[in-house]
Amino acid sequence: VYSRCARPALAHHGPPAPSTDVAVVTARVGAEARPGPPETHMAMDPLPPAMPPPPVPSEAPPSPGVPSALLKSSHYRIDFLATRDSGAGEIQLQEVTFYGDDAQKLNIRACVNPGGDQPINTAGQLIQHPDMLIDGNMGDKWSKWLDSNFGAQGVSRLECTLAEPDVVRAYQFVTANDNTKRDPLDWQIYRRDQTPRPDGQGGFEAQWVMVDDRTLAPEEAPMLRFTNYPRYEIDYLWQHVLPRAPPPPPFPPALPPHPPLPPQPSLPPSPSPPQHPPPPLPPPRLPPLSPPLLPPPLPPPS
């Protein structure tokens, strides 16, 4: 490799040296060809995640619809409170119709008028009784309901029993044949339901709950005879649903079993002292022998 540095001339017996420009190019090419140390880059910390935008306040979710099964009942009641002319003292209607889901007519099995007063014909038969309200006859003056006791009591009550438990979604009245003063203008609709006993003794009891309350101006009721009132929809709300017995609280989950205790390290057995044979028992000690009895010595000879 050659460079631009001036050097003293050397004796050279070979091919001519390359020119200075060629030497520079060769040096650059060689420098590029030589592997150098790997490039190093400064490590950058990752950026923190972006904060999510705050939630946009939304409107309150609509309240869920009242389940139909919760509202089904066989017993409905209508309390009539006022007529077109309170001085008439009587109230009358030709027909009463209840509607369920999809505007289907509901089958009313019976109607009664507790405390009411109906006329009796010359044959002694009760006529214009409340069952006339559900006979489907829309044009016979004898097929109407009349309560002559309305003025004395200030209220006339109709209790209607459905053939099967259902939800009354709407209802409609039909004016009777005569006397517009007897047309009802004010009434309340009730449904009977089974509710928990308030005394806390358990079980259920029947209770009436109001689900509709109407008061009409005189011009809102039809003046024509044998004519339908408007169809009135019942807007069931949660406050119309009587409380049920709350379900029992769930049992708390069982506590997890205690983890087994770790095994205790066994201690090495303590060395027992060496077993030595017992020392020999000493020989029994016998009492000393008494000296033998010897005869007395003989006297010496004389």
Side-chain angles (χ1 to χ4, degrees):
V1 177
Y2 295 90
S3 65
R4 294 179 181 269
C5 298
R7 296 189 178 183
L10 299 176
H12 183 71
H13 300 283
S19 66
T20 303
D21 293 337
V22 174
V24 172
V25 173
T26 306
R28 290 178 180 175
V29 173
E32 293 177 0
R34 287 198 302 270
E39 296 182 359
T40 58
H41 300 277
M42 183 178 295
M44 301 291 291
D45 293 334
L47 295 176
M51 296 295 292
V56 179
S58 59
E59 297 181 359
S63 58
V66 181
S68 300
L70 195 63
L71 301 174
K72 284 187 177 180
S73 177
S74 297
H75 303 280
Y76 290 82
R77 189 182 89 199
I78 309 174
D79 287 356
F80 293 103
L81 307 176
T83 58
R84 196 185 298 271
D85 186 349
S86 58
E90 297 176 322
I91 188 171
Q92 66 181 13
L93 279 174
Q94 185 73 20
E95 288 288 314
V96 169
T97 305
F98 288 161
Y99 298 92
D101 293 324
D102 301 324
Q104 295 291 327
K105 287 187 178 181
L106 300 179
N107 184 9
I108 304 176
R109 185 176 62 190
C111 282
V112 295
N113 181 204
D117 183 22
Q118 282 76 45
I120 298 177
N121 62 13
T122 56
Q125 297 174 340
L126 187 67
I127 59 175
Q128 298 177 343
H129 50 81
D131 275 340
M132 297 292 184
L133 290 167
I134 55 175
D135 63 357
N137 190 328
M138 302 282 288
D140 185 354
K141 69 177 184 178
W142 301 110
S143 182
K144 71 179 180 181
W145 163 68
L146 174 69
D147 182 8
S148 300
N149 211 17
F150 173 70
Q153 293 191 345
V155 63
S156 186
R157 177 168 296 170
L158 286 175
E159 294 183 7
C160 302
T161 303
L162 301 181
E164 296 180 357
D166 214 318
V167 181
V168 175
R169 301 289 186 182
Y171 59 93
Q172 195 169 32
F173 304 144
V174 178
T175 59
N177 64 306
D178 61 358
N179 202 342
T180 59
K181 296 180 180 181
R182 300 171 180 169
D183 295 340
L185 294 182
D186 190 0
W187 61 83
Q188 295 170 340
I189 307 290
Y190 292 80
R191 184 190 72 251
R192 193 171 72 179
D193 203 355
Q194 297 294 321
T195 62
R197 293 174 57 90
D199 53 10
Q201 298 297 322
F204 294 83
E205 65 179 2
Q207 183 174 345
W208 292 99
V209 57
M210 185 174 66
V211 296
D212 196 52
D213 188 5
R214 301 275 175 173
T215 300
L216 306 184
E219 61 273 13
E220 293 180 295
M223 293 293 294
L224 297 177
R225 302 298 85 194
F226 301 124
T227 302
N228 288 322
Y229 277 68
R231 183 180 299 187
Y232 302 106
E233 303 288 334
I234 297 179
D235 184 17
Y236 286 99
L237 302 176
W238 279 109
Q239 57 263 34
H240 294 147
V241 181
L242 292 176
R244 269 30 180 201
F251 289 102
L255 295 176
H258 292 286
L261 296 175
Q264 298 294 332
S266 59
L267 298 176
S270 59
S272 58
Q275 300 293 331
H276 298 287
L281 296 176
R285 299 180 63 182
L286 298 177
L289 297 176
S290 59
L293 295 176
L294 299 176
L298 294 177
S302 55

